[in-house]
Amino acid sequence: MSYGTADSLLSVTLDDVRGAQKMLSGVARVTAMEGSRHLSQLVGAPVHLKCENLQRTGSFKLRGAYVRIAGLLPEERAAGVVAASAGNHAQGVALASALLGVHATVFMPKGAPLPKISATREYGAEVRLHGHVVDETLAAAQEYAAETGAVFIHPFDHPDVIAGQGTVGLEILEQCPEVGTIIVGIGGGGLAAGIAVAVKTLRPDVRIVGVQAEGAAAYPPSLAAGRPVSVQSPATMADGIKVGRPGEVPFGIISELVDEVRTVSEDQLSAALLLCLERAKLVVEPAGASPVAALLGEPGAFPGPVVAVLSGGNVDPVLLQRVLRHGMAAQGRYLAVRLRLMDRPGALATLLGVLSVVDANVLDVSHVRTDPRLGLTEAEVELHLETKGPAHCAEVGQALREAGYTVID
């Protein structure tokens, strides 16, 4: 595959990305590049984290939204803009519109996290809740655009948006000129496409790897078919890359310039989010943690130095709590166990004493006495424990069995 003629072949050029960079000066932050000693040791080469989770509005989306809206004609600005999003794009459009003095209407699903709805309103957009899935919300936004003349701002399928996102690639080359591999999450593909245009034109030797969640991986079958195809009912905790069909414009770029698209599991996403929080002290949403998940899945597959793009940090606190617990379970640091014991005074205290000896921290206890499966003198207890890893989990189970408890799988 040749990249030397990328500017002449593709709908977005390096000049477009450089123009976007000038337009974003003083608007979008040049986000930090943080080294990760833990990931570097794992990969066997330097690993750096490009912290778009620290961008204004909490994600890279401001870049593309601002460039798109800034490029509108005066009469288009006067008509206002409309967007559909469950969170990051909504906030990017809201802030960009406020900075440019354009009225923004943002359609969001009824189940969108309250912090994201509140943030979008605080940035100045009019928020309308419609539908329960993004496809319904998108249809409502497009209908609104047709009725009112407002300009629909697509989250990824437009050259201006891609050019704006591509400024991340220029920053990576400036901050880590020796980069060997860039790993970036892919939903519709705007960010990966923009980075690919900027980086491959200047440094065709850099390997670019896209990452999708297994349950919402539309790019692998699309690349195999040579055209965008849809994935029915995409399902993943990573709502930032939960897109059922690639965009036409980014697909054309990614199919030419991105070297590989990998998938990661929900367990790997959870573990990656937990690692970012514990080791890097960075709050990252599941979509933003997807490049780290890919590193954890096969650390030896990426020539260094490696840059992993943390695309966003807008994680709902309720989801964060669930994901952290899921991530701890995936790492063997959280154990749920059910067992039978005699229903008599002091039995639960004795059980907790056994767990104390093996240093297992009890998070919560459920005690059942009336289930018809139980004998007259039996009780069933479900315990959620914080442990130190798989070996400690095995030690806890062994201690319970040696103490005479029946552990129920």
PDB file of all heavy atoms in Angstrom, residues 217-257:
ATOM      1  N   ALA A 217     -18.229  -3.752  16.107  1.00  0.00           N
ATOM      2  CA  ALA A 217     -17.103  -3.711  15.179  1.00  0.00           C
ATOM      3  C   ALA A 217     -17.598  -3.752  13.743  1.00  0.00           C
ATOM      4  O   ALA A 217     -17.672  -4.808  13.116  1.00  0.00           O
ATOM      5  CB  ALA A 217     -16.138  -4.860  15.459  1.00  0.00           C
ATOM      6  N   ALA A 218     -17.927  -2.590  13.185  1.00  0.00           N
ATOM      7  CA  ALA A 218     -18.423  -2.518  11.812  1.00  0.00           C
ATOM      8  C   ALA A 218     -17.291  -2.423  10.788  1.00  0.00           C
ATOM      9  O   ALA A 218     -17.493  -2.747   9.617  1.00  0.00           O
ATOM     10  CB  ALA A 218     -19.351  -1.319  11.651  1.00  0.00           C
ATOM     11  N   TYR A 219     -16.114  -1.997  11.210  1.00  0.00           N
ATOM     12  CA  TYR A 219     -15.033  -1.798  10.236  1.00  0.00           C
ATOM     13  C   TYR A 219     -14.443  -3.090   9.681  1.00  0.00           C
ATOM     14  O   TYR A 219     -14.208  -3.179   8.461  1.00  0.00           O
ATOM     15  CB  TYR A 219     -13.951  -0.887  10.815  1.00  0.00           C
ATOM     16  CG  TYR A 219     -14.156   0.546  10.383  1.00  0.00           C
ATOM     17  CD1 TYR A 219     -14.938   1.404  11.147  1.00  0.00           C
ATOM     18  CD2 TYR A 219     -13.593   1.040   9.212  1.00  0.00           C
ATOM     19  CE1 TYR A 219     -15.159   2.720  10.746  1.00  0.00           C
ATOM     20  CE2 TYR A 219     -13.800   2.352   8.804  1.00  0.00           C
ATOM     21  CZ  TYR A 219     -14.586   3.189   9.578  1.00  0.00           C
ATOM     22  OH  TYR A 219     -14.812   4.486   9.167  1.00  0.00           O
ATOM     23  N   PRO A 220     -14.172  -4.124  10.491  1.00  0.00           N
ATOM     24  CA  PRO A 220     -13.607  -5.342   9.889  1.00  0.00           C
ATOM     25  C   PRO A 220     -14.452  -5.923   8.762  1.00  0.00           C
ATOM     26  O   PRO A 220     -13.920  -6.187   7.665  1.00  0.00           O
ATOM     27  CB  PRO A 220     -13.483  -6.290  11.089  1.00  0.00           C
ATOM     28  CG  PRO A 220     -13.241  -5.367  12.246  1.00  0.00           C
ATOM     29  CD  PRO A 220     -14.124  -4.186  11.969  1.00  0.00           C
ATOM     30  N   PRO A 221     -15.776  -6.107   8.932  1.00  0.00           N
ATOM     31  CA  PRO A 221     -16.556  -6.620   7.802  1.00  0.00           C
ATOM     32  C   PRO A 221     -16.670  -5.618   6.654  1.00  0.00           C
ATOM     33  O   PRO A 221     -16.750  -6.013   5.488  1.00  0.00           O
ATOM     34  CB  PRO A 221     -17.935  -6.918   8.415  1.00  0.00           C
ATOM     35  CG  PRO A 221     -18.007  -6.111   9.658  1.00  0.00           C
ATOM     36  CD  PRO A 221     -16.613  -6.018  10.161  1.00  0.00           C
ATOM     37  N   SER A 222     -16.651  -4.333   6.975  1.00  0.00           N
ATOM     38  CA  SER A 222     -16.716  -3.318   5.922  1.00  0.00           C
ATOM     39  C   SER A 222     -15.444  -3.329   5.080  1.00  0.00           C
ATOM     40  O   SER A 222     -15.495  -3.252   3.842  1.00  0.00           O
ATOM     41  CB  SER A 222     -16.929  -1.931   6.541  1.00  0.00           C
ATOM     42  OG  SER A 222     -18.167  -1.857   7.208  1.00  0.00           O
ATOM     43  N   LEU A 223     -14.300  -3.416   5.740  1.00  0.00           N
ATOM     44  CA  LEU A 223     -13.032  -3.469   5.009  1.00  0.00           C
ATOM     45  C   LEU A 223     -12.952  -4.725   4.144  1.00  0.00           C
ATOM     46  O   LEU A 223     -12.440  -4.697   3.023  1.00  0.00           O
ATOM     47  CB  LEU A 223     -11.867  -3.400   5.991  1.00  0.00           C
ATOM     48  CG  LEU A 223     -11.689  -2.058   6.715  1.00  0.00           C
ATOM     49  CD1 LEU A 223     -10.673  -2.187   7.838  1.00  0.00           C
ATOM     50  CD2 LEU A 223     -11.275  -0.958   5.742  1.00  0.00           C
ATOM     51  N   ALA A 224     -13.474  -5.838   4.685  1.00  0.00           N
ATOM     52  CA  ALA A 224     -13.480  -7.085   3.906  1.00  0.00           C
ATOM     53  C   ALA A 224     -14.377  -6.974   2.676  1.00  0.00           C
ATOM     54  O   ALA A 224     -14.072  -7.520   1.612  1.00  0.00           O
ATOM     55  CB  ALA A 224     -13.931  -8.240   4.792  1.00  0.00           C
ATOM     56  N   ALA A 225     -15.486  -6.242   2.825  1.00  0.00           N
ATOM     57  CA  ALA A 225     -16.433  -6.090   1.715  1.00  0.00           C
ATOM     58  C   ALA A 225     -16.035  -4.980   0.751  1.00  0.00           C
ATOM     59  O   ALA A 225     -16.560  -4.914  -0.367  1.00  0.00           O
ATOM     60  CB  ALA A 225     -17.834  -5.806   2.270  1.00  0.00           C
ATOM     61  N   GLY A 226     -15.147  -4.097   1.182  1.00  0.00           N
ATOM     62  CA  GLY A 226     -14.737  -2.986   0.339  1.00  0.00           C
ATOM     63  C   GLY A 226     -15.710  -1.833   0.325  1.00  0.00           C
ATOM     64  O   GLY A 226     -15.617  -0.923  -0.498  1.00  0.00           O
ATOM     65  N   ARG A 227     -16.663  -1.817   1.255  1.00  0.00           N
ATOM     66  CA  ARG A 227     -17.666  -0.754   1.350  1.00  0.00           C
ATOM     67  C   ARG A 227     -18.243  -0.766   2.763  1.00  0.00           C
ATOM     68  O   ARG A 227     -18.195  -1.792   3.463  1.00  0.00           O
ATOM     69  CB  ARG A 227     -18.785  -0.969   0.338  1.00  0.00           C
ATOM     70  CG  ARG A 227     -19.488  -2.299   0.501  1.00  0.00           C
ATOM     71  CD  ARG A 227     -20.593  -2.540  -0.511  1.00  0.00           C
ATOM     72  NE  ARG A 227     -21.148  -3.882  -0.377  1.00  0.00           N
ATOM     73  CZ  ARG A 227     -22.011  -4.263   0.564  1.00  0.00           C
ATOM     74  NH1 ARG A 227     -22.448  -3.377   1.457  1.00  0.00           N
ATOM     75  NH2 ARG A 227     -22.453  -5.511   0.613  1.00  0.00           N
ATOM     76  N   PRO A 228     -18.783   0.354   3.227  1.00  0.00           N
ATOM     77  CA  PRO A 228     -19.389   0.365   4.560  1.00  0.00           C
ATOM     78  C   PRO A 228     -20.579  -0.583   4.642  1.00  0.00           C
ATOM     79  O   PRO A 228     -21.464  -0.555   3.797  1.00  0.00           O
ATOM     80  CB  PRO A 228     -19.836   1.816   4.742  1.00  0.00           C
ATOM     81  CG  PRO A 228     -18.986   2.596   3.799  1.00  0.00           C
ATOM     82  CD  PRO A 228     -18.782   1.690   2.611  1.00  0.00           C
ATOM     83  N   VAL A 229     -20.575  -1.445   5.652  1.00  0.00           N
ATOM     84  CA  VAL A 229     -21.712  -2.312   5.916  1.00  0.00           C
ATOM     85  C   VAL A 229     -22.122  -2.119   7.376  1.00  0.00           C
ATOM     86  O   VAL A 229     -21.333  -1.684   8.209  1.00  0.00           O
ATOM     87  CB  VAL A 229     -21.382  -3.799   5.657  1.00  0.00           C
ATOM     88  CG1 VAL A 229     -21.038  -4.021   4.203  1.00  0.00           C
ATOM     89  CG2 VAL A 229     -20.238  -4.269   6.541  1.00  0.00           C
ATOM     90  N   SER A 230     -23.359  -2.442   7.673  1.00  0.00           N
ATOM     91  CA  SER A 230     -23.912  -2.200   8.997  1.00  0.00           C
ATOM     92  C   SER A 230     -23.786  -3.419   9.894  1.00  0.00           C
ATOM     93  O   SER A 230     -23.860  -4.563   9.432  1.00  0.00           O
ATOM     94  CB  SER A 230     -25.392  -1.808   8.893  1.00  0.00           C
ATOM     95  OG  SER A 230     -25.535  -0.605   8.156  1.00  0.00           O
ATOM     96  N   VAL A 231     -23.608  -3.157  11.167  1.00  0.00           N
ATOM     97  CA  VAL A 231     -23.673  -4.188  12.201  1.00  0.00           C
ATOM     98  C   VAL A 231     -24.990  -4.001  12.933  1.00  0.00           C
ATOM     99  O   VAL A 231     -25.288  -2.906  13.423  1.00  0.00           O
ATOM    100  CB  VAL A 231     -22.487  -4.076  13.178  1.00  0.00           C
ATOM    101  CG1 VAL A 231     -22.690  -4.999  14.375  1.00  0.00           C
ATOM    102  CG2 VAL A 231     -21.180  -4.408  12.474  1.00  0.00           C
ATOM    103  N   GLN A 232     -25.793  -5.040  12.993  1.00  0.00           N
ATOM    104  CA  GLN A 232     -27.094  -4.936  13.639  1.00  0.00           C
ATOM    105  C   GLN A 232     -26.942  -4.938  15.156  1.00  0.00           C
ATOM    106  O   GLN A 232     -26.185  -5.717  15.718  1.00  0.00           O
ATOM    107  CB  GLN A 232     -27.996  -6.098  13.208  1.00  0.00           C
ATOM    108  CG  GLN A 232     -28.289  -6.125  11.714  1.00  0.00           C
ATOM    109  CD  GLN A 232     -28.951  -4.857  11.223  1.00  0.00           C
ATOM    110  OE1 GLN A 232     -29.881  -4.346  11.853  1.00  0.00           O
ATOM    111  NE2 GLN A 232     -28.476  -4.345  10.097  1.00  0.00           N
ATOM    112  N   SER A 233     -27.655  -4.048  15.794  1.00  0.00           N
ATOM    113  CA  SER A 233     -27.715  -3.963  17.267  1.00  0.00           C
ATOM    114  C   SER A 233     -26.330  -3.959  17.916  1.00  0.00           C
ATOM    115  O   SER A 233     -25.993  -4.855  18.698  1.00  0.00           O
ATOM    116  CB  SER A 233     -28.549  -5.130  17.826  1.00  0.00           C
ATOM    117  OG  SER A 233     -29.833  -5.149  17.266  1.00  0.00           O
ATOM    118  N   PRO A 234     -25.495  -2.960  17.611  1.00  0.00           N
ATOM    119  CA  PRO A 234     -24.188  -2.888  18.269  1.00  0.00           C
ATOM    120  C   PRO A 234     -24.350  -2.777  19.777  1.00  0.00           C
ATOM    121  O   PRO A 234     -25.237  -2.082  20.270  1.00  0.00           O
ATOM    122  CB  PRO A 234     -23.559  -1.623  17.679  1.00  0.00           C
ATOM    123  CG  PRO A 234     -24.706  -0.815  17.164  1.00  0.00           C
ATOM    124  CD  PRO A 234     -25.735  -1.806  16.733  1.00  0.00           C
ATOM    125  N   ALA A 235     -23.507  -3.494  20.509  1.00  0.00           N
ATOM    126  CA  ALA A 235     -23.629  -3.524  21.965  1.00  0.00           C
ATOM    127  C   ALA A 235     -22.243  -3.464  22.596  1.00  0.00           C
ATOM    128  O   ALA A 235     -21.405  -4.332  22.372  1.00  0.00           O
ATOM    129  CB  ALA A 235     -24.357  -4.799  22.406  1.00  0.00           C
ATOM    130  N   THR A 236     -22.010  -2.421  23.385  1.00  0.00           N
ATOM    131  CA  THR A 236     -20.767  -2.270  24.123  1.00  0.00           C
ATOM    132  C   THR A 236     -20.939  -1.182  25.167  1.00  0.00           C
ATOM    133  O   THR A 236     -21.761  -0.271  24.995  1.00  0.00           O
ATOM    134  CB  THR A 236     -19.590  -1.913  23.194  1.00  0.00           C
ATOM    135  OG1 THR A 236     -18.428  -1.661  23.986  1.00  0.00           O
ATOM    136  CG2 THR A 236     -19.879  -0.684  22.349  1.00  0.00           C
ATOM    137  N   MET A 237     -20.159  -1.274  26.237  1.00  0.00           N
ATOM    138  CA  MET A 237     -20.156  -0.210  27.238  1.00  0.00           C
ATOM    139  C   MET A 237     -19.504   1.061  26.693  1.00  0.00           C
ATOM    140  O   MET A 237     -19.712   2.146  27.216  1.00  0.00           O
ATOM    141  CB  MET A 237     -19.402  -0.673  28.488  1.00  0.00           C
ATOM    142  CG  MET A 237     -17.897  -0.762  28.300  1.00  0.00           C
ATOM    143  SD  MET A 237     -17.011  -1.177  29.801  1.00  0.00           S
ATOM    144  CE  MET A 237     -17.257  -2.954  29.853  1.00  0.00           C
ATOM    145  N   ALA A 238     -18.707   0.922  25.621  1.00  0.00           N
ATOM    146  CA  ALA A 238     -17.956   2.048  25.062  1.00  0.00           C
ATOM    147  C   ALA A 238     -18.844   2.834  24.111  1.00  0.00           C
ATOM    148  O   ALA A 238     -18.753   2.702  22.883  1.00  0.00           O
ATOM    149  CB  ALA A 238     -16.702   1.533  24.355  1.00  0.00           C
ATOM    150  N   ASP A 239     -19.730   3.671  24.662  1.00  0.00           N
ATOM    151  CA  ASP A 239     -20.704   4.358  23.816  1.00  0.00           C
ATOM    152  C   ASP A 239     -20.045   5.325  22.844  1.00  0.00           C
ATOM    153  O   ASP A 239     -20.608   5.641  21.796  1.00  0.00           O
ATOM    154  CB  ASP A 239     -21.765   5.071  24.659  1.00  0.00           C
ATOM    155  CG  ASP A 239     -21.193   6.082  25.635  1.00  0.00           C
ATOM    156  OD1 ASP A 239     -19.957   6.156  25.774  1.00  0.00           O
ATOM    157  OD2 ASP A 239     -21.986   6.799  26.276  1.00  0.00           O
ATOM    158  N   GLY A 240     -18.828   5.789  23.122  1.00  0.00           N
ATOM    159  CA  GLY A 240     -18.140   6.695  22.213  1.00  0.00           C
ATOM    160  C   GLY A 240     -17.741   6.061  20.901  1.00  0.00           C
ATOM    161  O   GLY A 240     -17.501   6.760  19.916  1.00  0.00           O
ATOM    162  N   ILE A 241     -17.637   4.727  20.853  1.00  0.00           N
ATOM    163  CA  ILE A 241     -17.326   4.029  19.596  1.00  0.00           C
ATOM    164  C   ILE A 241     -18.419   3.021  19.244  1.00  0.00           C
ATOM    165  O   ILE A 241     -18.200   2.095  18.469  1.00  0.00           O
ATOM    166  CB  ILE A 241     -15.942   3.333  19.657  1.00  0.00           C
ATOM    167  CG1 ILE A 241     -15.827   2.416  20.883  1.00  0.00           C
ATOM    168  CG2 ILE A 241     -14.828   4.361  19.668  1.00  0.00           C
ATOM    169  CD1 ILE A 241     -14.534   1.604  20.909  1.00  0.00           C
ATOM    170  N   LYS A 242     -19.594   3.232  19.783  1.00  0.00           N
ATOM    171  CA  LYS A 242     -20.724   2.342  19.524  1.00  0.00           C
ATOM    172  C   LYS A 242     -21.480   2.848  18.297  1.00  0.00           C
ATOM    173  O   LYS A 242     -22.515   3.501  18.391  1.00  0.00           O
ATOM    174  CB  LYS A 242     -21.642   2.295  20.752  1.00  0.00           C
ATOM    175  CG  LYS A 242     -22.782   1.306  20.665  1.00  0.00           C
ATOM    176  CD  LYS A 242     -23.612   1.364  21.939  1.00  0.00           C
ATOM    177  CE  LYS A 242     -24.818   0.465  21.879  1.00  0.00           C
ATOM    178  NZ  LYS A 242     -25.634   0.570  23.128  1.00  0.00           N
ATOM    179  N   VAL A 243     -20.927   2.555  17.132  1.00  0.00           N
ATOM    180  CA  VAL A 243     -21.483   3.018  15.856  1.00  0.00           C
ATOM    181  C   VAL A 243     -21.713   1.799  14.972  1.00  0.00           C
ATOM    182  O   VAL A 243     -20.812   0.982  14.782  1.00  0.00           O
ATOM    183  CB  VAL A 243     -20.530   4.012  15.165  1.00  0.00           C
ATOM    184  CG1 VAL A 243     -21.082   4.441  13.817  1.00  0.00           C
ATOM    185  CG2 VAL A 243     -20.314   5.238  16.062  1.00  0.00           C
ATOM    186  N   GLY A 244     -22.911   1.695  14.425  1.00  0.00           N
ATOM    187  CA  GLY A 244     -23.271   0.501  13.675  1.00  0.00           C
ATOM    188  C   GLY A 244     -22.809   0.466  12.241  1.00  0.00           C
ATOM    189  O   GLY A 244     -22.801  -0.604  11.618  1.00  0.00           O
ATOM    190  N   ARG A 245     -22.393   1.628  11.695  1.00  0.00           N
ATOM    191  CA  ARG A 245     -21.986   1.657  10.280  1.00  0.00           C
ATOM    192  C   ARG A 245     -20.923   2.726  10.091  1.00  0.00           C
ATOM    193  O   ARG A 245     -21.082   3.849  10.562  1.00  0.00           O
ATOM    194  CB  ARG A 245     -23.188   1.957   9.390  1.00  0.00           C
ATOM    195  CG  ARG A 245     -22.902   1.837   7.884  1.00  0.00           C
ATOM    196  CD  ARG A 245     -24.164   2.133   7.086  1.00  0.00           C
ATOM    197  NE  ARG A 245     -23.989   1.851   5.661  1.00  0.00           N
ATOM    198  CZ  ARG A 245     -23.455   2.701   4.791  1.00  0.00           C
ATOM    199  NH1 ARG A 245     -23.048   3.896   5.204  1.00  0.00           N
ATOM    200  NH2 ARG A 245     -23.332   2.368   3.511  1.00  0.00           N
ATOM    201  N   PRO A 246     -19.828   2.424   9.404  1.00  0.00           N
ATOM    202  CA  PRO A 246     -18.801   3.438   9.144  1.00  0.00           C
ATOM    203  C   PRO A 246     -19.350   4.583   8.310  1.00  0.00           C
ATOM    204  O   PRO A 246     -20.260   4.413   7.493  1.00  0.00           O
ATOM    205  CB  PRO A 246     -17.724   2.674   8.366  1.00  0.00           C
ATOM    206  CG  PRO A 246     -17.953   1.237   8.688  1.00  0.00           C
ATOM    207  CD  PRO A 246     -19.432   1.103   8.881  1.00  0.00           C
ATOM    208  N   GLY A 247     -18.774   5.764   8.495  1.00  0.00           N
ATOM    209  CA  GLY A 247     -19.100   6.880   7.621  1.00  0.00           C
ATOM    210  C   GLY A 247     -18.455   6.703   6.253  1.00  0.00           C
ATOM    211  O   GLY A 247     -17.362   6.139   6.146  1.00  0.00           O
ATOM    212  N   GLU A 248     -19.118   7.177   5.211  1.00  0.00           N
ATOM    213  CA  GLU A 248     -18.598   7.023   3.857  1.00  0.00           C
ATOM    214  C   GLU A 248     -17.240   7.714   3.690  1.00  0.00           C
ATOM    215  O   GLU A 248     -16.296   7.148   3.126  1.00  0.00           O
ATOM    216  CB  GLU A 248     -19.596   7.598   2.847  1.00  0.00           C
ATOM    217  CG  GLU A 248     -20.940   6.886   2.808  1.00  0.00           C
ATOM    218  CD  GLU A 248     -20.873   5.565   2.049  1.00  0.00           C
ATOM    219  OE1 GLU A 248     -19.868   5.322   1.357  1.00  0.00           O
ATOM    220  OE2 GLU A 248     -21.853   4.785   2.150  1.00  0.00           O
ATOM    221  N   VAL A 249     -17.133   8.952   4.178  1.00  0.00           N
ATOM    222  CA  VAL A 249     -15.893   9.711   3.992  1.00  0.00           C
ATOM    223  C   VAL A 249     -14.743   9.111   4.806  1.00  0.00           C
ATOM    224  O   VAL A 249     -13.679   8.831   4.248  1.00  0.00           O
ATOM    225  CB  VAL A 249     -16.101  11.201   4.331  1.00  0.00           C
ATOM    226  CG1 VAL A 249     -14.795  11.977   4.147  1.00  0.00           C
ATOM    227  CG2 VAL A 249     -17.201  11.805   3.458  1.00  0.00           C
ATOM    228  N   PRO A 250     -14.921   8.876   6.106  1.00  0.00           N
ATOM    229  CA  PRO A 250     -13.806   8.273   6.845  1.00  0.00           C
ATOM    230  C   PRO A 250     -13.462   6.863   6.378  1.00  0.00           C
ATOM    231  O   PRO A 250     -12.289   6.473   6.413  1.00  0.00           O
ATOM    232  CB  PRO A 250     -14.275   8.285   8.301  1.00  0.00           C
ATOM    233  CG  PRO A 250     -15.739   8.473   8.254  1.00  0.00           C
ATOM    234  CD  PRO A 250     -16.024   9.249   7.017  1.00  0.00           C
ATOM    235  N   PHE A 251     -14.458   6.103   5.925  1.00  0.00           N
ATOM    236  CA  PHE A 251     -14.163   4.745   5.458  1.00  0.00           C
ATOM    237  C   PHE A 251     -13.190   4.773   4.285  1.00  0.00           C
ATOM    238  O   PHE A 251     -12.252   3.969   4.205  1.00  0.00           O
ATOM    239  CB  PHE A 251     -15.445   4.014   5.054  1.00  0.00           C
ATOM    240  CG  PHE A 251     -15.180   2.644   4.481  1.00  0.00           C
ATOM    241  CD1 PHE A 251     -14.924   1.570   5.320  1.00  0.00           C
ATOM    242  CD2 PHE A 251     -15.155   2.442   3.104  1.00  0.00           C
ATOM    243  CE1 PHE A 251     -14.651   0.312   4.793  1.00  0.00           C
ATOM    244  CE2 PHE A 251     -14.887   1.184   2.565  1.00  0.00           C
ATOM    245  CZ  PHE A 251     -14.629   0.122   3.418  1.00  0.00           C
ATOM    246  N   GLY A 252     -13.409   5.704   3.349  1.00  0.00           N
ATOM    247  CA  GLY A 252     -12.517   5.796   2.206  1.00  0.00           C
ATOM    248  C   GLY A 252     -11.084   6.081   2.613  1.00  0.00           C
ATOM    249  O   GLY A 252     -10.131   5.538   2.024  1.00  0.00           O
ATOM    250  N   ILE A 253     -10.915   6.907   3.625  1.00  0.00           N
ATOM    251  CA  ILE A 253      -9.571   7.246   4.110  1.00  0.00           C
ATOM    252  C   ILE A 253      -8.963   6.089   4.888  1.00  0.00           C
ATOM    253  O   ILE A 253      -7.810   5.705   4.671  1.00  0.00           O
ATOM    254  CB  ILE A 253      -9.630   8.516   4.986  1.00  0.00           C
ATOM    255  CG1 ILE A 253     -10.092   9.710   4.144  1.00  0.00           C
ATOM    256  CG2 ILE A 253      -8.266   8.795   5.627  1.00  0.00           C
ATOM    257  CD1 ILE A 253     -10.386  10.956   4.953  1.00  0.00           C
ATOM    258  N   ILE A 254      -9.738   5.510   5.786  1.00  0.00           N
ATOM    259  CA  ILE A 254      -9.225   4.422   6.630  1.00  0.00           C
ATOM    260  C   ILE A 254      -8.850   3.208   5.790  1.00  0.00           C
ATOM    261  O   ILE A 254      -7.830   2.556   6.036  1.00  0.00           O
ATOM    262  CB  ILE A 254     -10.264   4.076   7.717  1.00  0.00           C
ATOM    263  CG1 ILE A 254     -10.292   5.188   8.767  1.00  0.00           C
ATOM    264  CG2 ILE A 254      -9.965   2.724   8.369  1.00  0.00           C
ATOM    265  CD1 ILE A 254     -11.399   5.084   9.777  1.00  0.00           C
ATOM    266  N   SER A 255      -9.658   2.910   4.784  1.00  0.00           N
ATOM    267  CA  SER A 255      -9.353   1.750   3.946  1.00  0.00           C
ATOM    268  C   SER A 255      -8.038   1.941   3.190  1.00  0.00           C
ATOM    269  O   SER A 255      -7.359   0.963   2.858  1.00  0.00           O
ATOM    270  CB  SER A 255     -10.495   1.484   2.969  1.00  0.00           C
ATOM    271  OG  SER A 255     -10.673   2.583   2.084  1.00  0.00           O
ATOM    272  N   GLU A 256      -7.643   3.188   2.958  1.00  0.00           N
ATOM    273  CA  GLU A 256      -6.394   3.468   2.249  1.00  0.00           C
ATOM    274  C   GLU A 256      -5.201   3.604   3.194  1.00  0.00           C
ATOM    275  O   GLU A 256      -4.093   3.178   2.856  1.00  0.00           O
ATOM    276  CB  GLU A 256      -6.538   4.764   1.444  1.00  0.00           C
ATOM    277  CG  GLU A 256      -7.437   4.653   0.234  1.00  0.00           C
ATOM    278  CD  GLU A 256      -6.812   3.815  -0.877  1.00  0.00           C
ATOM    279  OE1 GLU A 256      -5.577   3.797  -0.982  1.00  0.00           O
ATOM    280  OE2 GLU A 256      -7.579   3.177  -1.621  1.00  0.00           O
ATOM    281  N   LEU A 257      -5.409   4.196   4.344  1.00  0.00           N
ATOM    282  CA  LEU A 257      -4.269   4.635   5.149  1.00  0.00           C
ATOM    283  C   LEU A 257      -4.061   3.915   6.479  1.00  0.00           C
ATOM    284  O   LEU A 257      -2.945   3.935   7.013  1.00  0.00           O
ATOM    285  CB  LEU A 257      -4.392   6.140   5.441  1.00  0.00           C
ATOM    286  CG  LEU A 257      -4.443   7.085   4.240  1.00  0.00           C
ATOM    287  CD1 LEU A 257      -4.489   8.530   4.706  1.00  0.00           C
ATOM    288  CD2 LEU A 257      -3.256   6.853   3.326  1.00  0.00           C
TER     289      LEU A 257
END
